Amino acid sequence: MAALLKKRALAEYNKSFQDGPPSKKLHLAKKPLIGSSAAAFVGLLEKCKSSDEALQLLLRISDCLQFQESDVEEAIKKLSEHFQSEEESVVRVKILWLFCDIGLECPGANLNNLIDETIHLIKNETSHKVIAQGIATLLKLGAKLSDDKILMTRLVGVAKDNLKDTSHQVKCRCLQLISELYPIYPESDRTMEMVAESDAIVKLLGDYSYAEDARVRCEAFQSLLTLHERGQTLSANLYDQVCTALSDDYEIVREVALKLVWVLGNKYPENTIVLKDGETTMRLVDDAFVRICSAVNDLCMQVRALACTLLGTTRGVSDRFLLQTLDKQLMSNMKKKRTAHERGAELVRSGAWASGRRWADDAPGALVSSHRVQLLPGGAAGAFVHGLEDELMEVRTAAVDAVCQLSMENTIFATTSLDFLVDMFNDEIEDVRLRAIDSLTKISHHIVLREDQLEIILGALEDYSMDVREGLHRMLGSCTVASKTCLEMCIDKILENLKRYPQDKRSTFRCAQRLGSSHATLVLPLAPRLLSVHPFFDMPEPDVEDPAYMCVLILTLNAAQHCTTMLPLFEEHTIKHYTYLRDTMPHLVPHLPIGEAQLGAEKIEAAMDDSAVRRFFESVLQHIDNVTLSTNVRLKMLRSAEEQLNKLSEMEPQVAGAAQFTALFARCVRALHAALHAAPLGAPPPLALQHLHMDCLRLQHQFSGVTEQENACVWQLALRVCAARLYAATVGANNGTPPTTPGAATSAAGVTGAASATGATAAALSAAAALTHHAELLDRMLASAGVEPDPFTIAVFQQLSMSADNKPAALARALMPLLQAAPLPVIPKPSLKIRMCTATIIEPASDNDTVLRFSAGLVTSVALEAEVVRVRQPGALRVRVAYPDRRHHALAPPRDHLRPLDHLDHNEDGTQNVRLLTKVLISHGVWTDPCGVDITVCLAVDDAVGSARDAAPLVELSRPVRVTVAPKPIKRGI
């Protein structure tokens, strides 16, 4: 009826009547709407009566900045004409600013014309601000045409001409343009003329480092740095000139000069320079290092922090200068030493004679002038000591990083700096303590810890911060201790700390594993005391669930791997505990030749290699793709293959991803066939289709290492699921029409039916859009992978290409017979490189019986610790909270709550292993009895089915952990 009314209305309004003679046709010119294009505002510039009006108009042009390609040239011409007639410099600056914006953002702009126009406008300009803006416009426009060497040379010439300006702003802009746009050719293509010209440019920039304005001096040095970064070779003759700027009154100049000193020192390390005495020579890199060390005592914090950072990246420095940075007193061997013959000859020339027992034994002290006692520059003395003791955190952090970088390449410096890094464990700032701990971990292969150093390190284990404690665990596991007493101190302190912080159990276990592996000979004399082994008495059997005993057992078992002398000390219960730990924590306990059953199991495990697993895969799937078999037989074989692959994933963790991928694919094939043939009318159950859709999302997003062919099979299976969901939504929309039986009693039911029909229609439209979007993505994927689509996919592509606006009902009627008649999807051949993203919730424990009680309507938090392995996008992780009344919500953890997994944070396939430490917020109304709330770690994935307002579907990565919660009513009154 509605369609009939619509046709009738269109027919009535489309009728034309002609009465009288035909009227004369008029040509109407449509005026451009004000605000529709920036060209309209440009045309109004001529009508502006004041500079303020022109400026406001130019601001509106800048906000709009939408030109037709045909209007760009005319707009530039009008702006240029207004520039020449404008008296206010602010308006002229804005016009040049608009030139830059037009050239960079408008597609029809001619950059060469804009550059020519800008050069012409600033040629006779007197305002410094306008000239500076013109040079800035030329810089930005020229950067887009950097391949045109002739144009770049012209722009550099314009900048040279304007360098004579008295304004510092103009000079800075010109220096910046020269450094960024000067054409630099490769070394092999440079001629003598090019080299001479480039040297002249470098000299020109260097000359402006003597300018009166500090900003110009800073920009001159920065321009030299820019040229160096672009590939221009800087001469070593600049070194003295740059060193003079290190004592500049302005910190901006000293900061840039410091970078340039570092560049020249690393560029020409073996060049020799002569000190002020005229005799002593030094390597250029050593002198640069000393001068950078002097900047550690600068008054400006930024300069001090930069100096510490540059010290860590300086390479090739002599050991005596490196060691001098850790001692505030000048070393005696830094004096200039002369031979005895030289000293005697000098005394002869001076005419001072003694009794003859010693040279100059009675020479008065006044005869020895101070300038004759030559010392090397003392700027390096105690540089890192000053940096580590600085009052500001930024400087101390930079100093710690620099000491770490230098220690990684120099064993002597690492040993000497160990005490200073250990002292930083007592810093008041947590970030500095963490940097010191991480630095000591990186240089652990160079150092051996003594008892006095261990006392300070172990004292930091009582820190309230979990990051500091876990960092210390990593550091202790990486370092080497000097004696048995040191190892005993470590073990006792670790066990004591484990009682105080039981949440550090996993980190402590890994620390004990590394300590045992690296100190096997030191653990051997401690084994009887650690394991409570007595030569005459039978000691009580420890509790294997005790974390302290587990820590000791992990330590001794890892030490026994490298020291077989320890194996006879193990008692019978120790061997049983080893078997238990080997089964429960195989990543912490190594294989040992004890226990017959365990030895046999290890042999069987070693015999299972990739070829055997591959043969098993092929034997499982060899008859599934046989099209000669009936569908029922293939479905039974799929069920059997799914069961066998699930068992294989439990037995072989190395191939669990490939087995679960193939098993899940087989389950989806069976579930889709069952859903299509479930109802007599052929309408698939919506709940079964929802589970199928989630399984397809798991196949698409939860597995990594999937080849393009396997991914194409998954997406083609998902296309069938989308078609089935479309048919189910269409059937729901047809059955949702309101009843037509008359009567007042059915009016309410009619309204409800209309509402449900509207929702079902919207669901059908959404399903049709999802199918179309999925088909487009699949088409591009198949084309890029070079995979031939299956017959059903080809039929969907043909059906969608026949009509641009497919109605959901017509599309479903056309696809459903094809879907039911299509053969079973092809099972992809297994790839053993497939890995599965999983999550393990460590805290809260699954067997926790504690009831969380809080006031109803308020919020309580539950500490969550989980390990997520092989996740492609850690930012997509979510924590889902499901309540007993079927309400649920997903929480996105903050970015800083996702930390790299300490023992392995990256995998070979590009995925990441992260540790999730966050607080899960729970809130609800009043409950009569305590009930369980399920917490699950999920992955938010992109889905074309839902609309933009709907939340992203969640793929579960872990089993839910139940927390018992009891919201109690709020007590009112006293």
Side-chain angles (χ1 to χ4, degrees):
M1 182 63 69
L4 190 61
L5 289 174
K6 184 176 180 181
K7 290 182 180 179
R8 186 181 306 163
L10 289 175
E12 290 178 358
Y13 286 111
N14 286 337
K15 290 181 180 180
S16 60
F17 300 91
Q18 185 173 0
D19 189 8
S23 59
K24 182 180 180 181
K25 293 184 179 180
L26 298 178
H27 177 70
L28 299 178
K30 185 179 180 181
K31 295 182 179 181
L33 297 176
I34 299 298
S36 61
S37 174
F41 295 117
V42 175
L44 298 176
L45 276 176
E46 302 174 354
K47 302 179 181 180
C48 294
K49 299 179 180 179
S50 64
S51 299
D52 292 338
E53 294 181 6
L55 183 60
Q56 295 297 326
L57 200 58
L58 291 174
L59 291 175
R60 296 186 66 180
I61 296 173
S62 179
D63 293 337
C64 179
L65 207 65
Q66 294 179 359
F67 289 96
Q68 301 291 335
E69 293 189 11
S70 58
D71 298 337
V72 173
E73 295 298 331
E74 184 67 22
I76 293 174
K77 181 179 179 182
K78 291 183 179 180
L79 288 173
S80 178
E81 292 174 355
H82 189 81
F83 181 95
Q84 298 174 4
S85 61
E86 180 61 48
E87 297 180 357
E88 286 292 335
S89 60
V90 178
V91 180
R92 299 200 300 272
V93 167
K94 186 60 183 177
I95 291 175
L96 293 178
W97 191 310
L98 275 177
F99 280 2
C100 178
D101 292 344
I102 291 173
L104 297 179
E105 299 182 17
C106 294
N110 191 334
L111 296 181
N112 289 289
N113 291 343
L114 280 172
I115 291 175
D116 294 339
E117 192 67 31
T118 304
I119 294 175
H120 173 70
L121 293 178
I122 66 174
K123 196 170 196 179
N124 300 321
E125 182 60 50
T126 58
S127 174
H128 302 305
K129 294 181 179 179
V130 179
I131 297 176
Q133 180 57 47
I135 299 296
T137 300
L138 293 177
L139 173 60
K140 293 182 179 179
L141 295 178
K144 290 289 186 180
L145 302 174
S146 57
D147 296 334
D148 190 350
K149 303 297 183 182
I150 299 177
L151 178 61
M152 296 302 104
T153 305
R154 181 189 175 195
L155 294 179
V156 170
V158 173
K160 286 181 182 180
D161 296 338
N162 287 276
L163 272 176
K164 302 174 184 178
D165 198 289
T166 57
S167 172
H168 74 277
Q169 191 174 5
V170 176
K171 291 181 180 178
C172 290
R173 295 291 188 184
C174 292
L175 292 173
Q176 185 181 1
L177 186 146
I178 293 173
S179 63
E180 294 188 14
L181 298 186
Y182 177 73
I184 297 178
Y185 297 90
E187 291 282 351
S188 58
D189 299 341
R190 295 180 186 177
T191 61
M192 297 298 295
E193 292 79 5
M194 293 179 182
V195 173
E197 184 182 357
S198 62
D199 292 342
I201 289 293
V202 172
K203 185 180 182 304
L204 175 66
L205 297 180
D207 291 341
Y208 276 89
S209 64
Y210 298 109
E212 296 179 356
D213 199 297
R215 291 164 288 192
V216 179
R217 298 198 298 271
C218 175
E219 188 60 45
F221 286 128
Q222 185 62 48
S223 300
L224 291 174
L225 280 176
T226 304
L227 281 179
H228 169 73
E229 293 171 357
R230 293 181 58 215
Q232 176 64 38
T233 303
L234 300 181
S235 173
N237 299 329
L238 290 171
Y239 184 75
D240 294 334
Q241 179 180 350
V242 177
C243 290
T244 307
L246 291 177
S247 58
D248 198 278
D249 294 336
Y250 293 87
E251 59 268 16
I252 57 174
V253 181
R254 298 197 301 270
E255 188 173 356
V256 184
L258 207 60
K259 297 178 183 178
L260 208 50
V261 167
W262 177 85
V263 167
L264 294 175
N266 285 274
K267 180 71 175 177
Y268 307 100
E270 300 302 329
N271 286 23
T272 57
I273 62 170
V274 181
L275 299 185
K276 293 181 180 180
D277 59 351
E279 298 180 3
T280 308
T281 59
M282 285 180 61
R283 298 168 62 229
L284 184 60
V285 66
D286 292 338
D287 186 73
F289 185 79
V290 170
R291 294 182 185 275
I292 296 174
C293 288
S294 301
V296 176
N297 297 319
D298 197 273
L299 294 176
C300 179
M301 181 272 292
Q302 287 82 1
V303 177
R304 297 200 301 271
L306 176 64
C308 292
T309 303
L310 295 178
L311 288 177
T313 55
T314 307
R315 298 292 177 263
V317 185
S318 303
D319 288 344
R320 56 175 179 163
F321 291 102
L322 282 179
L323 298 177
Q324 183 62 51
T325 58
L326 300 174
D327 190 359
K328 290 185 178 181
Q329 297 180 353
L330 287 174
M331 292 184 292
S332 60
N333 63 353
M334 291 189 69
K335 295 180 180 179
K336 180 181 178 182
K337 298 179 180 179
R338 300 179 182 180
T339 63
H341 180 75
E342 291 174 343
R343 292 195 301 267
E346 185 178 358
L347 287 172
V348 170
R349 287 194 303 269
S350 65
W353 291 93
S355 60
R357 300 186 62 183
R358 292 183 59 189
W359 282 106
D361 55 353
D362 58 347
L367 296 179
V368 182
S369 58
S370 59
H371 69 276
R372 292 189 178 183
V373 181
Q374 299 293 339
L375 289 175
L376 296 181
F384 281 128
V385 179
H386 292 296
L388 294 174
E389 294 176 353
D390 199 274
E391 61 180 350
L392 295 177
M393 178 195 71
E394 291 84 355
V395 182
R396 298 200 302 274
T397 302
V400 169
D401 292 341
V403 171
C404 173
Q405 292 178 12
L406 293 174
S407 300
M408 291 175 65
E409 300 181 359
N410 193 314
T411 306
I412 301 176
F413 185 80
T415 306
T416 310
S417 64
L418 177 58
D419 290 330
F420 297 94
L421 289 178
V422 170
D423 288 339
M424 299 306 294
F425 286 13
N426 297 324
D427 196 274
E428 59 182 356
I429 303 298
E430 179 183 344
D431 188 42
V432 179
R433 298 198 299 271
L434 282 173
R435 294 290 183 93
I437 292 170
D438 293 340
S439 300
L440 208 57
T441 305
K442 294 177 182 178
I443 65 174
S444 58
H445 57 284
H446 288 311
I447 60 177
V448 178
L449 297 178
R450 304 187 308 267
E451 293 184 22
D452 56 329
Q453 296 165 344
L454 270 177
E455 290 180 359
I456 302 176
I457 294 174
L458 296 177
L461 273 175
E462 300 177 0
D463 198 291
Y464 72 95
S465 173
M466 183 180 64
D467 295 333
V468 174
R469 297 195 305 269
E470 292 186 351
L472 283 170
H473 290 158
R474 290 193 299 270
M475 189 267 295
L476 290 174
S478 303
C479 292
T480 304
V481 297
S483 62
K484 179 189 71 146
T485 307
C486 295
L487 182 61
E488 194 171 9
M489 289 172 54
C490 288
I491 297 172
D492 294 340
K493 189 64 178 180
I494 286 174
L495 296 180
E496 178 186 350
N497 198 67
L498 185 59
K499 294 179 181 179
R500 179 176 298 182
Y501 300 105
Q503 63 268 26
D504 296 346
K505 180 174 64 174
R506 299 172 66 85
S507 177
T508 306
F509 286 170
R510 282 191 286 268
C511 176
Q513 176 195 18
R514 296 169 183 171
L515 275 176
S517 299
S518 57
H519 300 87
T521 56
L522 299 180
V523 175
L524 178 60
L526 296 175
R529 186 182 75 84
L530 295 175
L531 297 177
S532 301
V533 177
H534 197 275
F536 306 113
F537 302 103
D538 286 337
M539 304 301 290
E541 180 179 344
D543 183 12
V544 74
E545 297 295 336
D546 182 16
Y549 175 67
M550 293 175 68
C551 185
V552 169
L553 204 57
I554 291 172
L555 175 78
T556 54
L557 291 175
N558 282 275
Q561 182 184 12
H562 305 283
C563 183
T564 56
T565 314
M566 200 182 303
L567 296 178
L569 297 176
F570 293 165
E571 296 187 354
E572 184 178 356
H573 65 267
T574 305
I575 298 176
K576 293 180 180 178
H577 295 164
Y578 157 75
T579 306
Y580 170 73
L581 291 181
R582 179 65 183 165
D583 291 338
T584 55
M585 294 183 290
H587 60 287
L588 294 176
V589 180
H591 166 60
L592 297 176
I594 54 178
E596 296 296 334
Q598 182 68 18
L599 182 59
E602 293 292 339
K603 289 182 179 179
I604 295 175
E605 183 179 355
M608 195 72 171
D609 57 355
D610 288 352
S611 60
V613 174
R614 188 176 297 276
R615 287 195 301 269
F616 178 78
F617 264 96
E618 293 176 356
S619 65
V620 170
L621 303 177
Q622 61 180 345
H623 296 302
I624 290 180
D625 292 335
N626 191 353
V627 294
T628 59
L629 300 177
S630 63
T631 303
N632 293 332
V633 174
R634 293 183 63 188
L635 291 174
K636 292 180 180 179
M637 296 181 66
L638 279 176
R639 178 186 294 274
S640 176
E642 179 185 349
E643 296 175 354
Q644 294 179 13
L645 291 174
N646 286 331
K647 292 179 181 178
L648 178 63
S649 64
E650 297 176 0
M651 296 169 56
E652 290 293 329
Q654 296 297 329
V655 296
Q660 294 191 16
F661 177 84
T662 311
L664 183 59
F665 197 99
R667 189 175 73 185
C668 290
V669 171
R670 292 194 306 105
L672 178 61
H673 184 271
L676 293 176
H677 299 83
L681 297 178
L687 184 60
L689 292 179
Q690 180 64 26
H691 290 310
L692 258 174
H693 176 63
M694 294 307 300
D695 287 340
C696 289
L697 291 178
R698 287 185 59 192
L699 288 171
Q700 294 172 10
H701 300 281
Q702 196 174 356
F703 295 89
S704 59
V706 182
T707 62
E708 293 182 344
Q709 290 76 14
E710 294 162 351
N711 200 22
C713 294
V714 171
W715 278 72
Q716 291 186 84
L717 175 63
L719 182 66
R720 300 192 182 201
V721 176
C722 288
R725 288 168 64 89
L726 172 62
Y727 185 75
T730 305
V731 171
N734 293 334
N735 294 338
T737 53
T740 57
T741 305
T746 62
S747 60
V751 174
T752 305
S756 62
T758 303
T761 304
L765 292 173
S766 177
L771 176 66
T772 305
H773 181 66
H774 189 92
E776 292 176 357
L777 296 179
L778 178 59
D779 188 19
R780 289 196 290 266
M781 180 183 300
L782 294 176
S784 62
V787 179
E788 287 293 331
D790 60 13
F792 176 76
T793 305
I794 296 176
V796 173
F797 290 165
Q798 294 175 351
Q799 187 65 32
L800 292 176
S801 62
M802 285 191 304
S803 177
D805 50 347
N806 287 300
K807 301 296 183 182
L811 186 60
R813 285 194 301 269
L815 294 181
M816 193 59 187
L818 300 175
L819 183 59
Q820 291 178 337
L824 294 179
V826 178
I827 305 294
K829 295 298 181 182
S831 174
L832 299 185
K833 296 181 180 180
I834 297 178
R835 297 293 183 266
M836 183 178 180
C837 176
T838 57
T840 305
I841 297 179
I842 302 169
E843 189 69 27
S846 57
D847 55 352
N848 188 8
D849 297 333
T850 305
V851 179
L852 298 179
R853 303 183 184 275
F854 62 98
S855 298
L858 300 182
V859 178
T860 187
S861 63
V862 178
L864 175 68
E865 178 181 0
E867 292 183 356
V868 186
V869 297
R870 300 190 179 277
V871 59
R872 283 181 283 186
Q873 296 179 352
L877 291 176
R878 301 290 184 268
V879 179
R880 186 176 65 186
V881 181
Y883 295 96
D885 57 354
R886 297 186 179 277
R887 290 172 48 196
H888 65 274
H889 62 270
L891 304 174
R895 185 173 300 177
D896 57 343
H897 290 188
L898 294 170
R899 311 181 184 189
L901 207 57
D902 54 356
H903 56 277
L904 182 62
D905 56 349
H906 281 82
N907 303 301
E908 66 281 357
D909 54 358
T911 56
Q912 302 180 34
N913 302 331
V914 297
R915 183 184 182 194
L916 176 60
L917 288 171
T918 187
K919 297 285 187 180
V920 180
L921 302 181
I922 296 176
S923 179
H924 210 280
V926 180
W927 293 354
T928 56
D929 295 325
C931 294
V933 175
D934 292 335
I935 300 176
T936 315
V937 178
C938 303
L939 188 70
V941 298
D942 296 331
D943 180 26
V945 176
S947 61
R949 295 175 297 177
D950 297 337
L954 300 178
V955 174
E956 293 186 1
L957 301 180
S958 67
R959 295 181 179 180
V961 174
R962 178 156 296 183
V963 179
T964 307
V965 177
K968 56 184 179 180
I970 301 176
K971 295 182 180 180
R972 302 187 181 277
I974 300 176

